[in-house]
Every structure is written in structure tokens, then in C-alpha cells.
Amino acid sequence: MKRTVFIMGLVLALFLEIAFCSAADAAWITGKVIESVATSGKKKGSSGTRVAYAVVTIEGTNYQTCADSTGTFVFTQDIPEGVYTIGAYKDGYYLDTKKITLGHECLNLTFVLTRKRNVPPSEALSDPSGMRSGVNVSDALYVAFSQIAVPGSPASSSSSKGAAMGSNMTTMQYKAAIAAGADVRTLHGMPAPKDYLKNDADGDYFTPVSMQPNTIAVVNPYSPKDTSFVTMNTKPYWVCFDNTGSKVFVSTDTQYIHVIDVNAGNKVIGTIPTGGIVTDITRAPDGNVYAAVSGTRPGVLVISPLSNSASAFYQVKPVRTGSDSQPRAIAVGTNYIYLAMGTNNAGEVLALNKAGGAVLGACSVGPFPAGMCITPNGKYVFVANRNGGTVSVLDAARLALLGSARVGSQPTKVVSSPTGDRIYVTNFASNYVSVLDGRTCATIATIPTGKGPMGLGISADGTKVFVSNNGENNISIINAEANSVIQTTTASTTSKPFGLAVRPGGMR
């Protein structure tokens, strides 16, 4: 009975939040995405054919949505007034952008996308520049791999030449040979298919993910052979992009966050002291990056991507859990910071004022809340309770518990689809990803992955879900429409993957 009431409540709440252009206190953006006719010698015009599932995003912000099967889209967020650049894109098409001035009214837009020519479907990118480099591809996947400790052996330094992997060719030499254009099938010492990313559907072999200890693997999901690596001088754990997709923030075991400049060839350009261990990191609609910090001074670190430095630190004390409770996960909406705190036996979510960090409210959740996300419309917060085997659902505005859903063992991270209709959860001890209906919290599917699925991300168009398998040292790529794994990397022998981040699509 309680579950029925919960489901009916969620459905009613979602029904009431449908965007009506007559709303007096909010601005809405709706529209359609259609395909163009690009005939030689003639002016481009509309063919009238709808482009399904295109991504529509407001550059420089975290506001984005996805068109449905008819090419129709709607932003359900309350977007502040201002002047914006808004763009639509899809894999295999060029980006179309518009300048808009948004007030308290409804804007109805039409985007016309031109299909890319002479590009094989397997290599078509959503990157409007047409670049093939993993450095500048929209939806590029950045994965933190931390060195595996080998008993009785000293840790490898960042200046080492790479693990020999039982062969006469080091990893660095192997990568250099690939970069120089060598045929991967003729290289000796690391024969295929052992250290390759393999697509079982067509038998292609791509760049290996066995690498230097302590690296960020940069995977191009549209052309995996372009995978590259960023060597770190410390163990990386959690990864986050800024809203523009030009900088990556990586937390490490040295109580620093490293800043990587994507457009400068993934060069590390700065470090930010945290004063504790970062347990989670995320970007927010206001353009800042927020980190949950545990330690003797637990709290929230606010980072400005413009200055690559901390702009504020809010020390936080637990309200409903014990004094030994620590920050575990973080999510940020338009108005509030949501911080999950907990112990092995208890958990709570605090709502903090973004200006000053004052605690405005608290809500009890399951024990050890390890992961958290807020839906794109800002209405709901989903919390993965690692020691409870559940996902709690909160009303973001009232910070009230709406209900919970039973998932697998040790749920760790959670992410929402671009439209909020699907919620994905990694279950570390069950070795699968749970897919929940974002409206009813009913389980739609369970997707087997590698051992110990942990880090989780989703492409901007919602078609691919990425999982780091911490217990198997590899990455799984999931087809979100089929709810099945389509690619898996060979396990690294040097490092374990933790957090991952997907580069915001269509932003430059």
C-alpha cells in the first residue's frame, strides 16, 4: 500500500510540473529539431524531417535536455533571465546554435541540423569541429586509474617508464608506437586481444587501457582507438568537468584537487588544497565546482573554474547522525547544496544555503549514503545508500523523503538520464547496474557489468552509460536503449578505476 501511494505521488508530482507557457514566474524553452537539406550550389533549407533524441544545451551552464522520438524538446527547469547561447546537436550532425534573450516568457525554437558528409557512421562525432582527437571530443570519457599496491614491492614513481607487462615492450613504448601510426596487430610483446578495447559486435581492436600507474584515461567513445592518457604524480580518485568542458578537476590521495586544461592538451595547470579527503565532486548550474570533504574539518569546498582556486569552504556538522558522521556525496541545484553525510549505520542529507553554507534542513536516508544526483529539472534528489541496499528519493524543494527503492548490494553511485526518466545505480557487491524508472522508482532492468562497478557517467544524449569496474580494473560501456554492455576494456594490471566524468557535449 505504501509503495502504491509513493508511486501515485511521484506520478502526480511529475504531471503537475509540465511546462505551461502561461506560467508567470518562470521562463520556458520549447521547440523542435529538424534535419536540413544541404544540396551543392543551393542554400541550406529545412527538409522537415524530425531529428530524434538530439541534445539541446545552454552553453556555459548545466541546463540541457533531450528531444524525444518526434524531435520535440522542452526545458522544465526554471532558467534565470539573461542572454544565452543555446545549441542542438547529435552524433553525425553539425551543431546549430542560436543567441537568445530570456525573460519571463516562453520561447519556441527550431533548430536545423546538417548531417555530416563523408564520415563513416562508426566515426561520426557530435563534436561540431569535426576533430578526431580524444582531447576535444564531446562526451570524451575521463577515468581515474589509481595504482595497485603490490605487497613487498615499492610503489612505482611517476617518472618510471611503465610496467613491462611480462613482455619486451613497455606500456609507454607501446603507446608511442600507436601514436606513430603502427599497426596494433603487428606489435610484439603485447599481442591482441589481451590489452585492447574490443567491440565484440564487429571484432575491431582499439587502444589498450593498460597504462602507467596513476593516470587519467581519456576515452573517445565514438572512436576508441583515439584513447590517450594523462600521467599523474599521485593517486587520482574522483573526476569532474566544469560546465564548459574545458577543465577537469581531479581529487587525489594527497588532499589536493588537480586542474587539467583540456584545450591545452590535457596539461595539469594547477592544484587546489582541500584540507581533507575528497569523497565526491560535482559541477553546478552556477558554474562552480563543489567537493565534499571529509576529515577533522568536514564540509563543502567551492571552486571557481575561472581562477582555478577555492572561493569558499563551508564547515558542516551532522544534524541527525553521530559526531563521527562524514560527508560522503554531494549534488548541487539552482538554489541549494545537497550534502550526504553518514556512518556505517546511519545517513542524512543536508540542504545548505549556497551563499554562506548555512544548514537549512536535514532529511534521514539509509546508512552510508555513498552517491547522490539531482534530476535535470531540479525536482528530485536520488541517494544511493551503500550499506542499506536502497536508493532514497527526496523532494528537492522541501527536502522531504518521498520513498525508497530496493536495488542491489552496496549501491555506490547514481546518475540521472538527461531527461530524468531513467536513474542508473552501480551495485558494487552485486556486479550490476540497476536501471530505475525516474517517475515510479520501479526497477526496469539490471545490467551485468564487471566486478565491483563503482564510477558512473552518462553521455549527453543519454544513449551510453559508462561504468568503472573497480574490482576488475576495467570499463564497461552500456547501450542505454538496449540495457546491455556493448564494450568492455581488458583489465589493467597496474591500476584500479574509481571515478569517471563525461565531457559536456557541444560546449567549447
Side-chain angles (χ1 to χ4, degrees):
M1 180 63 183
K2 289 183 178 179
R3 178 175 177 81
T4 302
V5 172
F6 167 56
I7 292 174
M8 291 178 63
L10 273 184
V11 172
L12 177 61
L14 287 167
F15 175 78
L16 292 175
E17 71 183 39
I18 297 175
F20 291 100
C21 290
S22 61
D25 59 347
W28 304 99
I29 304 176
T30 63
K32 60 184 178 181
V33 184
I34 57 180
E35 188 172 311
S36 69
V37 174
T39 306
S40 178
K42 295 183 179 181
K43 184 178 179 180
K44 181 181 75 172
S46 168
S47 68
T49 303
R50 298 294 186 99
V51 178
Y53 307 117
V55 175
V56 185
T57 183
I58 300 178
E59 294 191 8
T61 77
N62 204 32
Y63 297 116
Q64 68 177 24
T65 189
C66 187
D68 61 18
S69 59
T70 69
T72 303
F73 67 88
V74 58
F75 281 85
T76 58
Q77 302 100 322
D78 295 342
I79 304 171
E81 295 182 30
V83 178
Y84 299 98
T85 297
I86 183 171
Y89 68 98
K90 185 182 179 182
D91 183 20
Y93 293 85
Y94 290 103
L95 175 73
D96 184 25
T97 62
K98 300 178 184 297
K99 286 280 189 181
I100 63 171
T101 300
L102 191 61
H104 288 295
E105 73 277 353
C106 176
L107 292 184
N108 190 275
L109 306 175
T110 299
F111 290 96
V112 181
L113 301 189
T114 302
R115 187 182 294 274
K116 292 183 178 180
R117 304 299 178 186
N118 302 319
V119 178
S122 62
E123 296 185 10
L125 306 178
S126 57
D127 177 14
S129 67
M131 299 179 70
R132 297 293 184 268
S133 169
V135 172
N136 285 315
V137 172
S138 302
D139 293 340
L141 181 67
Y142 282 57
V143 187
F145 277 85
S146 291
Q147 181 179 2
I148 300 172
V150 180
S153 300
S156 300
S157 67
S158 61
S159 61
S160 65
K161 293 186 178 181
M165 312 283 286
S167 69
N168 59 359
M169 179 180 286
T170 68
T171 303
M172 293 299 287
Q173 291 170 332
Y174 188 72
K175 289 187 292 185
I178 295 293
D183 184 345
V184 296
R185 290 163 292 190
T186 65
L187 293 176
H188 297 288
M190 291 185 180
K194 179 180 178 182
D195 292 308
Y196 293 87
L197 177 63
K198 181 179 179 181
N199 184 337
D200 292 329
D202 56 21
D204 288 340
Y205 298 97
F206 305 115
T207 304
V209 295
S210 294
M211 73 293 283
Q212 282 278 76
N214 301 329
T215 61
I216 300 295
V218 185
V219 183
N220 178 349
Y222 304 106
S223 182
K225 65 182 179 181
D226 292 334
T227 296
S228 57
F229 305 89
V230 182
T231 301
M232 309 289 289
N233 59 7
T234 184
K235 291 183 179 181
Y237 287 117
W238 306 112
V239 189
C240 173
F241 275 94
D242 70 341
N243 286 339
T244 67
S246 60
K247 293 179 181 178
V248 183
F249 297 83
V250 183
S251 70
T252 71
D253 64 342
T254 58
Q255 299 188 20
Y256 280 88
I257 291 175
H258 292 239
V259 185
I260 296 174
D261 189 329
V262 175
N263 295 324
N266 287 322
K267 179 181 179 181
V268 177
I269 60 173
T271 55
I272 304 169
T274 63
I277 299 297
V278 172
T279 55
D280 197 12
I281 187 168
T282 187
R283 66 178 186 267
D286 60 15
N288 290 323
V289 170
Y290 292 76
V293 180
S294 67
T296 57
R297 295 183 67 243
V300 175
L301 184 69
V302 186
I303 298 170
S304 169
L306 298 178
S307 62
N308 299 328
S309 62
S311 59
F313 179 82
Y314 305 139
Q315 187 171 356
V316 179
K317 294 181 179 180
V319 175
R320 299 188 176 184
T321 50
S323 59
D324 57 342
S325 181
Q326 291 285 341
R328 306 295 181 184
I330 191 168
V332 183
T334 303
N335 300 316
Y336 308 114
I337 302 168
Y338 300 92
L339 182 67
M341 300 188 71
T343 65
N344 286 333
N345 302 311
E348 64 180 322
V349 172
L350 307 180
L352 279 60
N353 189 330
K354 293 176 71 175
V359 176
L360 303 176
C363 180
S364 296
V365 293
F368 206 109
M372 183 164 54
C373 75
I374 186 168
T375 52
N377 61 13
K379 302 293 184 180
Y380 305 105
V381 175
F382 288 80
V383 185
N385 303 307
R386 184 178 174 92
N387 288 359
T390 60
V391 172
S392 298
V393 188
L394 310 182
D395 182 305
R398 298 185 296 114
L399 197 63
L401 181 65
L402 295 174
S404 63
R406 175 66 61 178
V407 288
S409 181
Q410 297 185 16
T412 303
K413 295 297 179 183
V414 58
V415 70
S416 170
S417 68
T419 55
D421 62 336
R422 296 289 184 270
I423 304 298
Y424 299 88
V425 186
T426 51
N427 298 285
F428 184 85
S430 294
N431 303 326
Y432 64 75
V433 168
S434 295
V435 186
L436 305 180
D437 188 311
R439 299 162 296 180
T440 66
C441 279
T443 298
I444 297 172
T446 56
I447 307 171
T449 59
K451 295 180 180 179
M454 181 178 285
L456 188 62
I458 190 167
S459 62
D461 61 4
T463 61
K464 292 183 177 68
V465 177
F466 308 99
V467 181
S468 64
N469 299 309
N470 182 264
E472 201 166 288
N473 307 342
N474 60 13
I475 305 165
S476 294
I477 302 177
I478 294 171
N479 181 327
E481 296 178 354
N483 287 325
S484 62
V485 173
I486 55 176
Q487 291 179 341
T488 299
T489 67
T490 298
S492 168
T493 61
T494 64
S495 306
K496 284 182 173 293
F498 286 83
L500 56 82
V502 182
R503 189 181 189 202
M507 299 180 185
R508 291 293 175 272

